[in-house]
Amino acid sequence: MTDALPTPPRRGYLRRLVNELRPFRRLVFLCGLLTVLSSAIGLLPPIILGDIVNRLQRGERVNTLLYLLMIAGFAMSEGLLKYGSGVAISTLGQSFLISLRDRMLGHMQRLPMAYFEKNQTGKLVSNVINDAGTVNNLITSNGNQMLNDAVQLTFVLIYLLSINPLLTLIALSVAPFYVWNFRNFWRPLQDTSEDIRGKRDAMYGQMQEKLVGIQTVKGFGQERSEARAFMSTTRELMGLNITQGRLGGGLWTLADALCGVATGLVLGYGGWLCLQGRLGAGTLVTFLSLSVGYVYGPIVRFLTVLDPVARAQAAMSRIFRTLDTENPIHDAPGANPMPKIEGRVRFEDVWFEYEPGQPVLKGIDLTVLPGQTVALVGFSGSGKTTITSLLLRNYDPTGGRLTVDGIDLREVQIESYRRQVGVVAQESVGCGG
Ligand SMILES: Nc1ncnc2c1ncn2[C@@H]1O[C@H](COP(=O)(O)OP(=O)(O)OP(=O)(O)O)[C@@H](O)[C@H]1O
Ligand SMILES: [Mg+2]
C-alpha cells in the first residue's frame, strides 16, 4: 500500500498541520490577508479619538465632519473586512474538515482487522468526528484570533514605544507576572484536559460496548452493575472537569487582577505627565485604550488559547497516529489481478499467530475442491474463524502457503480477489452505493 506515511517527530504536529494545509494555501493566504488588514484598521479609531481630545485641549478647531467620516469609514471597512475573513475562514475550515475526515475514514477502512480488534469502535468514531473537529477549531477560531492578536500587538507596541517608551515599559511591567501565572497553571491545565479527553473516550467506548452487547448484559442481569461502572467513570470525569474549572478560574482571576494593576500604573504615571504638561490628555486616552484593550487583551487571549492548542495537539497526535498506521496486508509490488476464481483452495502447512510466539494454527493442511461444501467443526477457540479470516486475506499466514486455484494469495491484488469472494455474516451490515 502506498499511503503509509513516515512517523512524525513527537513534537512536530504543528509543522505537520501546516503541511496538511498546503493544498488550501490560497485560501489560507486570503484569510491571513483579510485578518491582518482588519486588525490593523481596527487600531485607528482610538488614535483618531486621542487626536481629537488633544486638539480640543489645545483649543484648536476640530473638523467634526472629517473626523466623523474617517471614523465611520474605518469602522465600515473593518466590518467589511471582518465579514470577508469570516466567510473565507469558514470555507477554509469546512473544506479542510471534509478532506481530513474523508482521508481518515478512507485510511481506517484500509487498515487490517487487527486494528479494529485492538481499538474500541467508540474511540475510532471519536477520532474521525471529535478530533478532526478540534483541529478544525484550532485553525478557524483560535488560529485566526492569534493572528489577529499578534498583528495588533506588534503595531500597538511600536506605536506606544514611539509615544513614550517609559510609559510603555510601565504598562508592560506586569507582563513577567503573566508569564509566572502561565507557568503556574499551564502544565496542570494541559494534563487535566488530556485526562478529560481520555476519560470521555473511555466513556463513549464503554457505553457503545455495553449497548451493542445489551443482550449479554440483560441475559446475565448485569444492568445495575453496568450502570454503576458507568456512573463511576462519569464521576471521575466530573472531578476532572471541576479541577479544570478551578485551574482555569485561578488563571483568569489573576490575569484580570494584573490587568487592573497595569491600568492603575499607566493612569498614575501618565496622569502625572499630563499634569506637568509633558503628555497630551488625548495621547493618554489613546495610550490607555491601546495598552489595556490591545496589549493585555491579546496576552490574556494567548493564555486562554493554550488550552485549545493543547487539546488540538492531543487530537493531532491521535489523527496522525491513525494516518500513519500501516497495513501489513498490502499488494506486493507488481501484483497481478486475480483471474476468475474456479475455487480450488489449498492450505499448505499453514501457521498463524495473532500474538508473536503464540501460534493459533499449527501446520494446517486442507484442500477444498470447486463446488465442494466444507463445514469446519471444532471447539471454541480452535481456530475456525481464523481460517476463514486467512481465506479472506484479512491476515497473511505466518508460515506456509495459502493458494486459490494454485495462486498464492500474497501474489495477487487484494481487491480483485476479495471482489470474487462472497461472505455471509451472522450479523449483516448494509453498504451504501
Ligand atoms: N484478534 C485476536 N488477537 C489475538 N488472539 C485472537 C484474536 N482472535 C482470535 N484469537 C485467538 O485465536 C484462537 C482461535 O480463535 P478463533 O476465533 O479462530 O476460534 P473459533 O474456532 O472461531 O472459536 P469460536 O467457535 O468461539 O468462534 C483463540 O484462542 C482466540 O483467543
Ligand atoms: Mg469463530
Side-chain angles (χ1 to χ4, degrees), residues 114 117 354-355 360-361 378-387 395:
E117 280 152 10
Y354 289 102
E355 302 296 336
V360 170
L361 301 181
F379 292 117
S380 175
S382 53
K384 304 179 293 291
T385 302
T386 307
I387 288 179
Y395 301 93

Side-chain angles (χ1 to χ4, degrees), residues 183-258:
R183 280 176 172 269
N184 206 15
F185 286 101
W186 162 235
R187 177 62 50 197
L189 253 177
Q190 198 184 26
D191 290 347
T192 316
S193 65
E194 183 56 11
D195 288 350
I196 288 176
R197 257 315 298 226
K199 197 55 73 191
R200 208 181 295 153
D201 275 358
M203 195 175 74
Y204 280 141
Q206 205 179 342
M207 217 177 153
Q208 152 121 12
E209 201 175 285
K210 300 309 172 200
L211 289 181
V212 168
I214 189 73
Q215 234 179 357
T216 317
V217 173
K218 278 178 178 294
F220 287 92
Q222 292 297 304
E223 294 94 329
R224 280 178 76 105
S225 84
E226 289 305 336
R228 259 201 306 275
F230 182 69
M231 270 304 284
S232 120
T233 314
T234 324
R235 227 174 263 130
E236 283 171 45
L237 190 60
M238 182 182 83
L240 286 171
N241 272 313
I242 291 174
T243 308
Q244 191 188 37
R246 189 168 50 74
L247 291 169
L251 189 144
W252 265 107
T253 312
L254 243 109
D256 280 349
L258 289 169

Side-chain angles (χ1 to χ4, degrees), residues 56-77:
L56 287 175
Q57 196 193 19
R58 288 197 297 265
E60 288 174 21
R61 262 184 61 83
V62 172
N63 187 343
T64 343
L65 185 65
L66 179 70
Y67 278 115
L68 187 73
L69 284 177
M70 269 163 68
I71 289 191
F74 285 137
M76 267 172 60
S77 321

Side-chain angles (χ1 to χ4, degrees), residues 18 36 40 46 87 101 184 212-213 232 291 313:
V18 172
V36 168
V87 173
R101 283 194 176 140
N184 206 15
V212 168
S232 120
S291 67
Q313 259 183 335

